[in-house]
Amino acid sequence: MDAVRKPRVGIIGTGAIGGFYGVMLARAGFDVHFLLRSEFSTVVEQGLRLNSTQHGALTLDPVQAYASAEQMPPCDWLLVGAKTTSNLQLAPAIVQAAAPDAKVLLLQNGLDVEDELRGVLPDSLHLLGGLCFICVHRAGPGQIEHQALGAVNLGYHSGPAAADPALSRAIVEEGAGLFREAGIDSQAMGNLHQARWQKLVWNVPYNGLSVLLRASTTPLMADPDCRQLIQDLMQEVLQGAAACGHVIPQAYAQQLFKSTELMPDYWPSMYHDFLHQRPLELAAIYAAPLAAARAAGCELPKLRALYQALSFIDRHSA
């Protein structure tokens, strides 16, 4: 990291994810700047409030908040916490807020979510993927509820360091170091694509079924038929990953299943999108892995059926 000052961090999309990590980084002494839209005036007046079962009730006030990226200072790191459905619309703001040689970290779910954004970013910007293992949601304007977990795993996607493994590793380690300094577990991932398949093992069943069945994790795990369906969907994700050259151990899926039984009752992020009539992240979480698996000669029938049902819901709830 810079020996003179800590890196300046910009948060693009100050919802639950961006708000949580932004508050934690600011409390650790980082110079954090938040881009907001509809909640700008509320956050300026009241600050950001984080109610965490792990860290207690925290308030960041005042907040370095901006309604436009043009007003932000050049940021060394840009954390994108918005939904994948808005990536292309956010590209101009990312470019505007980026310092030369900036690192753009997508804190998003889904497979290959970096690919679309890469095409509209300057070649000079580093693009990284971040996988958040956290139970968090937005309770209201500027109000974030954190129930459990919080780790972030990072991997390098593309940019000026793509041809230099040592440099790309150093950049990823720098990013992980930011989070660790804020008291958040963070690991560098050598293979971002495999890491995203691993995250899908949880996201595919629980996100989709929460919307389809209108149920949070505790009732989903309490029903025998639903438990079997969750395990079947997890197995299909493992099959799709293996077909694409990423072998995920069976024990990994079993560990996720058991840990979900032990964690507090949780409504996944896709349910909150459905509840507030926002577009569902179906392309990144379902369509992309289905297409990748099919291209490798692997069909995932239960995952496809879930995707088709969710697509109907998404179209008719808009």
Side-chain angles (χ1 to χ4, degrees):
M1 291 186 192
D2 196 312
V4 178
R5 64 168 177 84
K6 292 184 178 181
R8 180 182 289 141
V9 179
I11 306 296
I12 307 294
T14 308
I17 292 290
F20 173 81
Y21 291 112
V23 167
M24 295 301 291
L25 288 165
R27 282 175 50 81
F30 288 95
D31 183 19
V32 185
H33 299 261
F34 297 83
L35 180 64
L36 298 112
R37 288 179 291 185
S38 60
E39 299 183 10
F40 173 75
S41 59
T42 301
V43 170
V44 168
E45 293 171 7
Q46 302 177 9
L48 283 169
R49 301 177 183 179
L50 171 61
N51 182 32
S52 170
T53 56
Q54 290 178 248
H55 309 288
L58 308 177
T59 299
L60 181 63
D61 189 16
V63 176
Q64 297 187 106
Y66 306 84
S68 167
E70 296 176 355
Q71 302 167 339
M72 297 176 70
C75 296
D76 306 299
W77 281 86
L78 288 168
L79 277 53
V80 181
K83 298 293 182 180
T84 57
T85 50
S86 60
N87 275 354
L88 290 182
Q89 293 93 319
L90 287 174
I94 293 171
V95 174
Q96 186 70 46
D101 197 44
K103 293 85 177 175
V104 180
L105 173 61
L106 298 191
L107 300 176
Q108 298 177 331
N109 289 325
L111 189 66
D112 298 331
V113 296
E114 297 83 9
D115 291 356
E116 186 178 46
L117 188 58
R118 177 75 268 175
V120 293
L121 292 181
D123 294 340
S124 60
L125 297 183
H126 303 274
L127 186 58
L128 295 86
L131 298 97
C132 305
F133 298 87
I134 187 170
C135 295
V136 66
H137 69 275
R138 175 185 161 280
Q143 299 180 23
I144 303 154
E145 292 287 329
H146 173 224
Q147 292 171 263
L149 309 176
V152 185
N153 292 340
L154 280 64
Y156 195 87
H157 178 268
S158 57
D164 187 339
L167 180 56
S168 61
R169 278 196 302 271
I171 290 171
V172 174
E173 285 292 351
E174 178 189 342
L178 303 184
F179 291 103
R180 293 190 201 117
E181 196 166 339
I184 296 164
D185 181 37
S186 185
Q187 304 296 324
M189 305 296 290
N191 188 322
L192 177 61
H193 200 256
Q194 171 148 344
R196 288 210 168 276
W197 271 107
Q198 289 175 328
K199 186 74 187 298
L200 287 170
V201 177
W202 195 94
N203 276 325
V204 162
Y206 291 104
N207 268 290
L209 292 178
S210 74
V211 174
L212 187 64
L213 303 179
R214 311 292 197 271
S216 52
T217 55
T218 296
L220 288 175
M221 295 297 286
D223 183 87
D225 288 328
C226 192
R227 287 171 65 88
Q228 185 60 57
L229 179 55
I230 290 168
Q231 291 178 315
D232 291 346
L233 287 165
M234 285 183 166
Q235 286 302 309
E236 286 200 349
V237 175
L238 297 187
Q239 292 166 17
C244 295
H246 306 294
V247 177
I248 301 173
Q250 188 75 28
Y252 180 80
Q254 294 171 350
Q255 177 189 352
L256 289 182
F257 188 80
K258 291 177 181 177
S259 65
T260 306
E261 286 188 307
L262 300 175
M263 75 183 198
D265 189 30
Y266 178 61
W267 287 97
S269 59
M270 188 171 286
Y271 181 82
H272 290 282
D273 290 337
F274 165 75
L275 189 64
H276 296 286
Q277 295 186 311
R278 295 188 290 258
L280 305 183
E281 294 183 288
L282 301 183
I285 298 177
Y286 296 94
L290 280 167
R294 171 171 279 185
C298 178
E299 293 295 336
L300 309 174
K302 292 188 177 181
L303 199 158
R304 181 169 296 281
L306 178 57
Y307 169 58
Q308 291 167 329
L310 291 169
S311 296
F312 175 88
I313 292 171
D314 192 40
R315 286 191 296 269
H316 288 266
S317 66

